[in-house]
Amino acid sequence: MQAGQDKGRTAPQASLRSQDQVIILSGDLVIETIETLDGEFGDATGIDISDVAHLDTAGAWYLLQLRQQVSDTSHEIAIRGASAPQRQLLETVRQNMPPEEALDERPVTLFDRLEEIGRTVVGGLHIAIEMIGFLGQVIATIASLVFHPRRLRMTSLVHHMQEVGLKAVPIVALMAFLIGIVLAFQGSAQLRQFGAEVFVVDLIAISILRELGILLTAIIVAGRSGSAFTAAIGSMKMREEVDAMRTLGLDPIEILVVPRVLALVLILPVLGFIADLTGLIGGALMSWIELGVSPAVFQSRLVANTDVWHFAVGMIKAPFFALIIGIIGCYEGLKVGGDAESLGRLTSTSVVLAIFMVIVVDAVFSVFFALVGV
Amino acid sequence: MSEQTGSEDTVIRVRGLNKRFKDHVVHEGLDLDVRRGEIIGIVGGSGTGKSVLLQQIVGLLKPDAGQIEVLGQSVRDTSDAEYRALRRRWGVMFQDGALFSSLTVRQNVEAPMREQLEISDALRETMAGIKVRMVGLPENAHGKYPSELSGGMRKRAGFARSIALDPEIVFLDEPTAGLDPIGAAAFDTLIRQLQTALGLTVFLVTHDLDSLHAICDRVAVLAEKKVLAVGTMEEMLEIDHPWVKEYFQGPRARAAVGAAASGLA
């Protein structure tokens, strides 16, 4: 930066008085200005700062550096002309000077990288094991609630069913409706080339009932409710509410996790069913407009050609997806530490991981159902 | 920083300050003068608006009426550039340090320098290191994140950030609250040390009677929506007002006086 750029700052000057080898400093020795000084001095017998107008911490540090640089090894030269407060500042800075040599960083080697990969893999395995343990804990708690149904928090359960279920109906319905329209539109364009327009009904029915309806619903719910679970439980963890529960003899899994997971398991099939329905309606509407397939024809073809198993396959997957979203959302929430940053990080982890796991499990189900032949 | 042009000049001048939140009047006709180079302790019961006063002085809250001048400049009726320049001349430490949680301690102290100064990275890192050492944090704390620190260390780091730009005034909001007595006493000593070394004026909002006795030059009592009394601790004992009497002469106050006296002996 330019010297004297700041208003009211005089650029510092340094010069060597030749008769007694004393370095004379003047002007403002402050953090903005000290870097404009570039004096290379040889040996000197003293430093005089009686003409220095302002001296701040950085200025004091500069003086001490300068002294070290120009002193010979045997004894330190004096800094003269300091006022009482300036002397105090110099003394305080001297006690807090940086250590002589900074720790030089070791270059990163191939082994370091390999070790890092290994640690990441092992860390991932640990998380997987912990999460399976957590799943077991939740299932055990739910099982014990079967024998003690009075301990189930009904109010909480209904509240979460409303939050994750009822309030998600509009977005889920609209999404599925639009997907139905897109499928009909794109499908008809391709099938028309073979004169097989009417197969668009099979295309829509199978893809929505079997895969898209429930998969996209699960993805929306993971983004909407999985993140909300993590954020809500995480902020309770941050404010030590979870610890408070434990000291009162309350089980956080029973109170916080079970109602949320159970609500999702109960409500996700319903949401999936709504998605199936609106998806078919959207597809039928577009087939009618685009191909002239009347709703009556669509309905009869749907009933005649689409095996009920397609619908069943979609519905069977729903509770598993719900379990994945709920368990991951709550698990990440309970992992939140004391700082706000971990809350944000884990919330996004929870969503990404839940969506990823939902798709992985969906793929596993595809293979499974192909093997059993439905 | 180092020079003092007359020890009596006023660095903070508050006149006729009014502040209300809906129906709740916090300040009404509040006057306060803070002199250069002193440590002034602001005391008052809960809800008397100590922190609100601090927030108004540093410009975080807008007063309903009245004037606030800091270092001879009005905090409210200034251009943005003037306010920015003024802001550089003070530092604020919030109650729990209010450190940026995504930055390490050292980076927290560097943050104001990075924003306000055009200096080389090396100088900035060196100066941040010196400031962190000045507040008595150990060498291994420099690279730690706020969540890895204890409450007392977070306060120290917050203090380091507030003095990052070598300010003329520092505002400290309850610096010793939540610390154990030994930690609180050490923090008091630290404030006094850095106040003399850096020539600071310290505006100290506190509840801690020990701090008041140990380091404050003057005490301002907030009560009845204004500054009820300003003066040294000895003068406070003379004042005939029920709350002031209760506060400065209650059982806990007597213990603090005893501690201060034995400390002197």
Side-chain angles (χ1 to χ4, degrees), chain B residues 47-65:
Chain B
T48 49
K50 301 183 295 292
S51 296
V52 173
L53 176 63
L54 187 154
Q55 286 174 341
Q56 290 178 97
I57 293 175
V58 299
L60 289 173
L61 269 183
K62 189 180 181 304
D64 296 330

Side-chain angles (χ1 to χ4, degrees), chain A residues 160-349:
Chain A
H160 288 299
M161 284 171 80
Q162 177 180 355
E163 282 298 315
V164 303
L166 197 59
K167 291 193 176 168
V169 167
I171 178 80
V172 164
L174 179 67
M175 179 255 344
F177 183 77
L178 291 175
I179 291 293
I181 283 181
V182 169
L183 277 178
F185 193 71
Q186 297 294 337
S188 65
Q190 297 301 318
L191 292 171
R192 191 179 284 141
Q193 296 171 15
F194 310 104
E197 289 99 324
V198 81
F199 280 99
V200 81
V201 179
D202 304 67
L203 170 76
I204 293 167
I206 293 174
S207 52
I208 285 188
L209 294 182
R210 203 177 170 104
E211 290 292 335
L212 291 180
I214 190 62
L215 185 63
L216 292 173
T217 305
I219 289 173
I220 284 191
V221 169
R224 222 183 140 268
S225 305
S227 60
F229 289 179
T230 310
I233 294 180
S235 62
M236 292 176 84
K237 184 84 195 300
M238 260 171 72
R239 284 177 298 175
E240 299 183 317
E241 288 176 50
V242 175
D243 295 336
M245 276 180 194
R246 289 210 175 94
T247 60
L248 294 171
L250 304 168
D251 180 9
I253 292 188
E254 186 183 310
I255 293 173
L256 299 176
V257 179
V258 166
R260 286 181 167 85
V261 172
L262 215 51
L264 258 185
V265 170
L266 293 174
I267 217 73
L268 196 67
V270 179
L271 284 177
F273 181 72
I274 292 171
D276 285 354
L277 217 57
T278 50
L280 290 178
I281 292 171
L285 187 72
M286 202 60 200
S287 311
W288 194 16
I289 296 169
E290 186 67 17
L291 298 170
V293 179
S294 75
V297 174
F298 191 97
Q299 190 200 356
S300 63
R301 231 192 127 74
L302 178 70
V303 174
N305 281 17
T306 315
D307 197 285
V308 73
W309 266 105
H310 293 308
F311 171 71
V313 163
M315 286 297 117
I316 287 169
K317 290 191 282 192
F320 292 93
F321 290 173
L323 208 55
I324 290 169
I325 297 167
I327 291 292
I328 291 177
C330 295
Y331 172 80
E332 299 289 346
L334 285 171
K335 265 201 350 199
V336 168
D339 55 329
E341 209 205 349
S342 74
L343 179 61
R345 196 184 63 238
L346 289 171
T347 305
S348 86
T349 307

Side-chain angles (χ1 to χ4, degrees), chain A residues 1 5-6 9 31-32 34-35 53-59 61 83 85-86 88-89 92-93 95-99 338-341, chain B residues 1-3 88 101-102 113 117-120 123 126-127 129-131 133-135 139 145 147 163-166 193-194 196-198:
Chain A
M1 66 173 272
Q5 187 187 48
D6 265 72
R9 293 287 189 219
I31 191 159
E32 301 101 319
I34 55 164
E35 284 188 303
H54 288 87
L55 183 74
D56 71 357
T57 320
W61 168 77
S83 64
Q86 284 173 341
Q88 203 147 23
L89 178 63
T92 308
V93 174
Q95 289 166 358
N96 295 295
M97 286 294 272
D339 55 329
E341 209 205 349
Chain B
M1 203 107 324
S2 45
E3 87 283 25
R88 263 198 57 181
S101 58
S102 57
M113 301 188 199
L117 301 172
E118 292 176 44
I119 55 174
S120 70
L123 177 63
T126 312
M127 292 319 297
I130 290 177
K131 293 284 158 66
R133 270 179 222 105
M134 268 189 184
V135 297
E139 213 60 34
Y145 287 93
S147 56
I163 57 167
L165 296 170
D166 276 59
Q193 265 173 6
L194 292 183
T196 36
L198 303 175

Side-chain angles (χ1 to χ4, degrees), chain B residues 156-170:
Chain B
R156 282 173 186 265
F159 193 26
R161 191 178 65 184
S162 72
I163 57 167
L165 296 170
D166 276 59
E168 291 166 54
I169 309 172
V170 286

Side-chain angles (χ1 to χ4, degrees), chain B residues 105-125:
Chain B
V105 168
R106 165 103 63 117
Q107 287 168 338
N108 261 285
V109 179
E110 281 181 51
M113 301 188 199
R114 196 185 287 272
E115 292 307 311
Q116 302 276 0
L117 301 172
E118 292 176 44
I119 55 174
S120 70
D121 291 356
L123 177 63
R124 192 181 61 230
E125 281 166 24

